[in-house]
Amino acid sequence: MSANEKSGPPEVDVVVVGWNHRQDLLELLDTLERQKVVKWRLFLVDNASTDGGPEVVQERCPDAQVILNRENFGFARAANQGIDAGHSKWVFLCNPDLRLQDDFLAALVEGVERFGGDFGCGKLYRFPVGQRTILDSTGMVMTPEYRHLDRGAGKVDEGDFDVPARVFGATGAAAIFRREALDCVRVQGTVFDERFFAYREDADLCWRLRLAGRECVYVPGAVGWHRRRVTPERRRKLPEEINRYGVRNRFLMRWSNTEGRIFRQTTYKGILRDLLVFLACFTIERSSLPAFKELWLTAGDSMRRRAEIARLADPGVSVAKWFRCKEGYVEELEK
């Protein structure tokens, strides 16, 4: 690192995927413009919006790079476009419905660097902005059933999540990455697996980073607010398409990343959960049945990706510990 890089502010590429999020984008831009210390540039990738959002963002933020897609390519592909368009050391991926405290990016970069992390996340609360009662996420955790959950989601914040920690991963709603770390886990040339379209692609990426020996740091001093629309308890109220993606992508993620030690450790609980998913699709959620046909059609590609991921994995690293606790494994760090 040069002397200029050491003395200058951290440079962050802010990647946002939009689809008819005009008002959210403007409010997110308000909070980005108040960020202290860091030097950021916005990369907005728009999936064929019809609400004029990209135009007003470009007008208000002339330095932003706005990429206009002719159709809705999905989150994963659009996020790849935004990541590839930038060049800064840090990449901050966030949703349009995110609001940030004024020192969020500075605190997040400082915390990840302090604890030697390669990617990281902050403390997110649920809307409305300003309340610090109901948590949205304090990092991503994995369970033995291969469920990835937002730690603390829906709980009242009583100070239990005030200590920095190593966690399995970071929610795609607000996650920062070293660009070098993202580049080292590209598969078939891309960071995100574009077959996912949307949902669970962030957990898939975090798992791949873990296999490569990369660490994720939770920084409680980086505070934000997220208007979460998709939660497990709302599943029956969600559009059928979203639920189908959820079923399909659960298996895509596992086929790509599960290695022997994890499989042996989680065989019973993982298979039991699989059976419950199958049963639900054949009974109460038949609209998700096409997910299994889609899995079959992509089986060959899954095997090729699996082989490539196995090659990039660090042979000295085991990620099995992150799957051993029902509530999710976490390593707390000193304050």
Side-chain angles (χ1 to χ4, degrees):
M1 181 182 291
S2 70
N4 288 336
E5 287 175 318
K6 287 183 179 179
S7 60
E11 295 187 0
V12 181
D13 292 334
V14 178
V15 176
V16 182
V17 176
W19 183 58
N20 292 322
H21 290 108
R22 174 174 172 157
Q23 188 57 41
D24 273 335
L25 286 168
L26 289 175
E27 292 179 21
L28 171 62
L29 196 54
D30 285 341
T31 68
L32 285 172
E33 289 173 340
R34 292 196 296 268
Q35 291 303 297
K36 302 173 182 177
V37 182
V38 302
K39 181 180 179 181
W40 59 272
R41 185 184 181 193
L42 177 64
F43 294 82
L44 170 64
V45 186
D46 184 78
N47 276 327
S49 292
T50 58
D51 64 351
E55 291 78 13
V56 296
V57 169
Q58 190 74 83
E59 181 180 350
R60 178 165 164 184
C61 189
D63 290 337
Q65 181 168 341
V66 178
I67 300 171
L68 301 175
N69 289 331
R70 64 182 182 276
E71 60 185 275
N72 188 351
F73 288 150
F75 178 86
R77 180 173 173 182
N80 283 337
Q81 292 175 280
I83 292 168
D84 291 345
H87 55 78
S88 296
K89 176 181 177 179
W90 296 96
V91 178
F92 179 60
L93 182 68
C94 69
N95 286 356
D97 54 1
L98 184 74
R99 308 292 179 264
L100 307 174
Q101 190 168 278
D102 293 357
D103 62 348
F104 183 95
L105 289 176
L108 191 54
V109 170
E110 190 278 331
V112 173
E113 287 194 320
R114 177 186 173 195
F115 293 108
D118 300 286
F119 61 121
C121 54
K123 178 187 281 190
L124 300 184
Y125 292 96
R126 298 271 171 90
F127 269 41
V129 174
Q131 71 87 12
R132 297 199 179 192
T133 306
I134 306 301
L135 291 164
D136 181 74
S137 179
T138 60
M140 182 190 295
V141 293
M142 273 284 188
T143 74
E145 297 86 8
Y146 301 101
R147 299 186 71 199
H148 57 95
L149 305 173
D150 285 292
R151 190 170 71 120
K155 293 183 178 180
V156 174
D157 185 9
E158 298 179 333
D160 298 333
F161 303 95
D162 288 347
V163 178
R166 291 191 180 93
V167 293
F168 176 82
T171 173
I176 200 162
F177 304 88
R178 294 184 189 269
R179 180 173 293 277
E180 174 269 333
L182 292 179
D183 288 340
C184 88
V185 296
R186 287 177 180 268
V187 176
Q188 298 178 355
T190 65
V191 172
F192 284 105
D193 184 343
E194 295 181 0
R195 299 175 303 166
F196 279 60
F197 191 82
Y199 307 107
R200 301 189 195 270
E201 73 291 314
D202 53 352
D204 176 73
L205 173 61
C206 292
W207 196 338
R208 209 180 326 138
L209 285 161
R210 278 279 166 208
L211 287 169
R214 302 299 180 140
E215 293 287 352
C216 183
V217 176
Y218 161 64
V219 183
V223 175
W225 291 265
H226 180 219
R227 186 190 290 116
R228 188 173 295 275
R229 294 176 171 88
V230 179
T231 60
E233 60 270 19
R234 294 188 64 244
R235 184 177 182 88
R236 293 192 178 185
K237 297 180 180 179
L238 296 174
E240 293 179 352
E241 187 177 44
I242 291 178
N243 289 333
R244 189 181 84 250
Y245 289 151
V247 170
R248 182 195 64 190
N249 294 350
R250 165 183 168 83
F251 292 97
L252 282 179
M253 177 176 65
R254 286 177 55 193
W255 288 356
S256 295
N257 301 296
T258 304
E259 44 94 15
R261 280 170 290 189
I262 299 176
F263 183 77
R264 290 190 295 272
Q265 176 180 296
T266 60
T267 297
Y268 170 73
K269 291 182 178 179
I271 291 178
L272 179 59
R273 179 75 183 179
D274 288 344
L275 290 174
L276 290 175
V277 171
F278 280 121
L279 181 62
C281 290
F282 277 96
T283 54
I284 61 175
E285 194 177 288
R286 296 181 65 84
S287 60
S288 291
L289 280 175
F292 299 106
K293 180 180 179 181
E294 294 168 12
L295 286 168
W296 174 256
L297 293 174
T298 61
D301 192 41
S302 293
M303 295 304 294
R304 289 188 289 272
R305 289 186 63 88
R306 182 178 178 84
E308 193 170 339
I309 291 170
R311 287 193 294 270
L312 65 81
D314 185 336
V317 170
S318 172
V319 300
K321 66 182 179 182
W322 300 101
F323 293 77
R324 70 189 186 197
C325 300
K326 181 179 180 181
E327 65 280 6
Y329 178 74
V330 173
E331 294 179 349
E332 290 192 347
L333 301 165
E334 62 179 355
K335 292 187 178 181

